[in-house]
Structure formats: C-alpha cells, structure tokens
Amino acid sequence: MDEALGKKILNLLDEHRIMSVATLRPDGWPQVTTVGYVHDGLTLYFLCGLDSQKARNLAHDNRVSLTIDHDTADLMAISGLSMAAHAEPVIDRDEAQKVLGLLAQAYPEQDTSKLEIEMPTPDDVRIFRVTPTVISVLDYSKGFGHTDLVELGDG
C-alpha cells in the first residue's frame, strides 16, 4: 500500500468513532447496525451485547462489511472508508482490557465518573477484532466518486 494512502486511511480512522457494520443473519439477510469503534493501526475493535443479534450473526459467519464516514455540506468534501473484513471475538483478557482502555481514550470529553451506568468489563460485553481484507477509500476531493482500493489479503 502506498504510504500516502496508508496515512489517509489511518487519519480517517482517527477522525471518527462510529461505523456502520453489516453482518449476515442465519437466514441470509444482511443486518446493518451502528457501533462505536476503536482501532490499533488497521485493526478495528467494537463491542456488543453478549447475546446480541450481531454476536449471534458473527458466530454463524464472521464476514462483515463496514463503512466509516460523516455528513458534509460540501459535495466535493465527501470522504470515508468501506471495508470487507473478518470479525473474531477477542478471547485474550489482556487484549480485551487494552480495547476497553482505547475506548475510554477515544472519548476524552466524557467524564466516566458521571455516567449513569458502569463502564463494561470484558465479562459484560463481547469484543470483536475486525481485520480488513479490502479497504476502499472514498475521496471526492480527487474527483466525483473517486475511490482507491487496497487489497490486504484474506486475513
């Protein structure tokens, strides 16, 4: 991957905290939901309920598609990422604690002592590690609908 494109991807990941993630239900229908995420390089992480539909879907088929973007009033400023990826549950307790720490860092403006609920522990949530196989970088500043495709392999 070209260095400038890699920096663009990491910058877009840094600039956002939510993504839309599509999983496949056992009946074959896609299900798209919005989740918060954090990342370590190109590896993304998100949390969901232990027995959520997403967790059940991913137990059946770990392939996901996702988008990360934002609204803009300037048509030619549209930018974002879409990815094909695999999502695996985080089993390692140290990795899970690292992810929860990254999550707290992603919201520096949030005083967690004033939350009405406790921050989750690794036992309270399912944490997924998302490893991209294909990343599409959307950047209208390079032309209407311009995308650059990065293929990372089948992970």
Side-chain angles (χ1 to χ4, degrees):
M1 159 178 15
D2 155 289
E3 185 178 339
L5 188 56
K7 284 183 180 180
K8 173 77 173 176
I9 292 168
L10 292 175
N11 285 339
L12 285 165
L13 289 172
D14 286 341
E15 292 171 2
H16 299 87
R17 298 183 287 201
I18 60 170
M19 66 182 175
S20 298
V21 62
T23 58
L24 290 172
R25 294 180 354 175
D27 64 7
W29 281 94
Q31 176 182 350
V32 179
T33 53
T34 300
V35 296
Y37 77 90
V38 294
H39 75 98
D40 184 7
L42 296 179
T43 302
L44 286 72
Y45 296 92
F46 71 89
L47 288 64
C48 64
L50 293 171
D51 194 38
S52 69
Q53 184 67 50
K54 277 187 297 298
R56 290 193 308 270
N57 292 348
L58 290 168
H60 173 73
D61 187 332
N62 77 344
R63 294 176 298 163
V64 298
S65 289
L66 64 92
T67 61
I68 298 169
D69 52 36
H70 62 281
D71 193 15
T72 177
D74 179 355
L75 175 66
M76 298 314 289
I78 293 174
S79 65
L81 300 171
S82 62
M83 298 182 190
H86 294 279
E88 297 290 339
V90 172
I91 305 301
D92 180 74
R93 193 129 179 112
D94 290 337
E95 185 179 9
Q97 283 300 138
K98 179 184 96 171
V99 171
L100 293 174
L102 289 171
L103 181 64
Q105 292 172 18
Y107 291 86
E109 63 275 356
Q110 178 70 59
D111 181 354
T112 56
S113 68
K114 294 183 179 178
L115 290 177
E116 294 181 17
I117 60 171
E118 293 287 320
M119 287 295 289
T121 70
D123 297 326
D124 299 328
V125 293
R126 183 96 54 229
I127 301 172
F128 284 94
R129 177 189 326 100
V130 178
T131 306
T133 59
V134 177
I135 302 173
S136 178
V137 183
L138 181 64
D139 187 352
Y140 274 42
S141 73
K142 293 182 177 181
F144 188 81
H146 178 87
T147 58
D148 289 300
L149 196 63
V150 177
E151 296 189 38
L152 301 169
D154 202 24

